[in-house]
Amino acid sequence: MIELTAAQVAAATGGRLSADPEVRVGGPVVVDSRRVAPGSLFVALPGENVDGHDYAAGAVEAGATLVLAARELDVPCVVVDDVQAALGELARHVLATLRERGDLRVVGVTGSVGKTTTKDLLGQLLRPEGPTVVPRGSFNNEIGLPLTVLEADESTRFLVLEMGASGVGHLTYLTRIAPPDVSVVLVVGSAHLGEFGGIEAVARAKSEIVTGLAPGGVAVLNADDLRVAAMADVAPGEVVTFGTIPAADVRAEDLGIDRTGRASFALRVRPGASGDATRSEGTSARVTLGLVGEHHVTHALAAATAALRLGVALPDVVARLSDARALSPHRMQVTERPDGITVIDDSYNANPDSMRAALKALAVMAGRDRRSVAVLGEMLELGEDSRVAHDDIGRLVVRLNVKLLVVVGEGAGGIHDGATQEGSWGDETRFVPDVEAASALLRDELQEGDVVLVKASNGSGLWRLGDELAAAGAGAAGGERA
């Protein structure tokens, strides 16, 4: 973060100063006292189980020079009414200051699936152009986004932000903190339908990243998704599209996928789509992704389009996309075990769209000569559509000819029911009550040559099984709140 005095922090947050006004904050802004470094600002967030105020004194002892708090403490602090809101205001102030001082460009990424992979790809495309800040993991909410913004300083050229939402108005709040110069919308899908109340509400919520663009900003929209493409109607400025249809400004042609599940395609850019009419676009160049799953073509196209708009040359985009790798764990992370078993760990999150994509990748990787095994847990936050959605996935497992289905937990029971109704029974589909039972079954069941997919929402805990299965091997390769 840029260096600020305690008085400047108080002014930015509307807080009451209980410290020497000239105390300086120059270290990282943290909400976890274990991450404190010399000069840190410690943000004392209250929580259901842990209250950050209880750790304020320890944070100061560890080197924090100031605490953002909701009540008076016996340490240097700025006292505010709402610590979380004050964190957002501080981030808004710092970003506005940085924009006044230099040529910082902000990219916002949203979508029901694929945000984390896309922001990771963007980071790999932009970092060679200059200092780039990218969120850790899925820092995409009212706390994670401001913390990411506050990692930027005077040297930062690109600030990539993942923006998640659980309802209408959430992205309006985030874009008020950090109005993007480039807003990327991936997919309007069925993730978190129980929170949004319907697919059209999801579309309205995601469109807020478009209406929240900075003056002169560009909307980068998925032409293959009709709800996303329709957001062009609310864009305050220029729109550039990506996709596989001929009308897309940046598109994938001649798409193929190999036995390792990795896609390749010809990347074609319509003349002028990069915003620079002098560039020799309109020709195509071949991209071969290192990420597993055909669905990553959408993420690669989105990242490529944004990078082009930010001035990255097309040959560099193509080369960097082909070299890009998965950076975040439990997202189509592939481990080849010494015993000949391949593990695909996609257990970070799940919804009907990402579940279908992962199952198709499993079918491709297994082919006709290896046994496919799908270990599936609950897809959370689907509301009243949950049972039908899980049933549909079970039926898809059968249609994809997955050889063994292991369904984990009562919440995922609809997958087992759907597979049974579609014609899979006996040893082809098994139901187990929990992760421990799934682990025991797989220890007895797995055999050399199997390709195993582990997929569920993070809250189901199936990531523990993904870690366990992968730990039996070596050499990972590979690879979202809505």
Side-chain angles (χ1 to χ4, degrees), residues 244-311:
T244 59
I245 65 173
D249 297 316
V250 179
R251 63 189 182 275
E253 299 177 338
D254 189 21
L255 178 64
I257 187 164
D258 65 18
R259 274 297 303 274
T260 68
R262 292 167 171 85
S264 63
F265 57 91
L267 179 65
R268 184 176 294 276
V269 183
R270 191 184 307 281
S274 70
D276 184 351
T278 66
R279 292 192 183 182
S280 57
E281 297 160 352
T283 57
S284 63
R286 196 78 189 169
V287 173
T288 300
L289 296 178
L291 309 182
V292 173
E294 184 179 351
H295 56 296
H296 287 311
V297 172
T298 295
H299 311 148
L301 288 172
T305 307
L308 288 166
R309 293 301 309 195
L310 292 166

Side-chain angles (χ1 to χ4, degrees), residues 181-478:
D181 298 293
V182 176
S183 286
V184 179
V185 187
L186 299 168
V187 175
V188 172
S190 51
H192 305 279
L193 281 181
E195 295 180 340
F196 282 98
I199 195 70
E200 296 307 325
V202 176
R204 288 196 302 276
K206 299 303 182 186
S207 71
E208 293 168 9
I209 199 174
V210 175
T211 57
L213 275 162
V218 178
V220 173
L221 304 179
N222 184 359
D224 294 342
D225 187 311
L226 294 179
R227 290 185 174 89
V228 175
M231 294 177 193
D233 294 340
V234 299
E238 189 177 358
V239 173
V240 182
T241 59
F242 64 89
T244 59
I245 65 173
D249 297 316
V250 179
R251 63 189 182 275
E253 299 177 338
D254 189 21
L255 178 64
I257 187 164
D258 65 18
R259 274 297 303 274
T260 68
R262 292 167 171 85
S264 63
F265 57 91
L267 179 65
R268 184 176 294 276
V269 183
R270 191 184 307 281
S274 70
D276 184 351
T278 66
R279 292 192 183 182
S280 57
E281 297 160 352
T283 57
S284 63
R286 196 78 189 169
V287 173
T288 300
L289 296 178
L291 309 182
V292 173
E294 184 179 351
H295 56 296
H296 287 311
V297 172
T298 295
H299 311 148
L301 288 172
T305 307
L308 288 166
R309 293 301 309 195
L310 292 166
V312 183
L314 179 58
D316 292 329
V317 168
V318 170
R320 292 169 195 171
L321 272 182
S322 295
D323 289 340
R325 294 295 179 264
L327 301 180
S328 298
H330 302 296
R331 292 173 174 86
M332 296 302 288
Q333 186 171 349
V334 177
T335 300
E336 299 289 351
R337 295 186 358 177
D339 58 4
I341 294 171
T342 300
V343 179
I344 311 169
D345 180 3
D346 199 32
S347 59
Y348 180 80
N349 220 334
N351 58 61
D353 299 315
S354 66
M355 190 74 85
R356 285 189 288 267
L359 286 167
K360 290 176 183 177
L362 169 66
V364 168
M365 292 178 68
R368 296 185 178 182
D369 55 339
R370 302 182 69 182
R371 186 173 70 152
S372 52
V373 180
V375 185
L376 308 181
E378 184 177 4
M379 300 177 288
L380 298 170
E381 300 173 353
L382 295 181
E384 62 184 17
D385 296 324
S386 179
R387 191 71 184 182
V388 172
H390 284 85
D391 183 279
D392 288 344
I393 293 300
R395 294 174 187 273
L396 177 63
V397 168
V398 178
R399 293 196 292 273
L400 290 173
N401 199 29
V402 173
K403 301 304 183 183
L404 172 63
L405 169 65
V406 179
V407 178
V408 185
E410 287 292 339
I415 299 176
H416 179 70
D417 294 343
T420 302
Q421 291 297 317
E422 191 71 12
S424 180
W425 57 81
D427 289 341
E428 296 172 330
T429 178
R430 317 276 188 88
F431 174 81
V432 294
D434 51 38
V435 172
E436 289 71 23
S439 175
L441 186 153
L442 292 171
R443 280 196 297 271
D444 293 335
E445 184 68 35
L446 293 182
Q447 56 195 27
E448 182 179 356
D450 286 351
V451 184
V452 187
L453 169 69
V454 182
K455 178 75 172 168
S457 288
N458 192 53
S460 73
L462 211 58
W463 56 268
R464 291 185 282 118
L465 181 60
D467 283 343
E468 178 184 320
L469 292 174

Side-chain angles (χ1 to χ4, degrees), residues 148-163:
T148 302
V149 171
L150 291 168
E151 291 182 23
D153 59 25
E154 289 88 346
S155 70
T156 304
R157 183 172 177 190
F158 300 107
L159 175 59
V160 179
L161 298 173
E162 181 178 335
M163 295 188 174

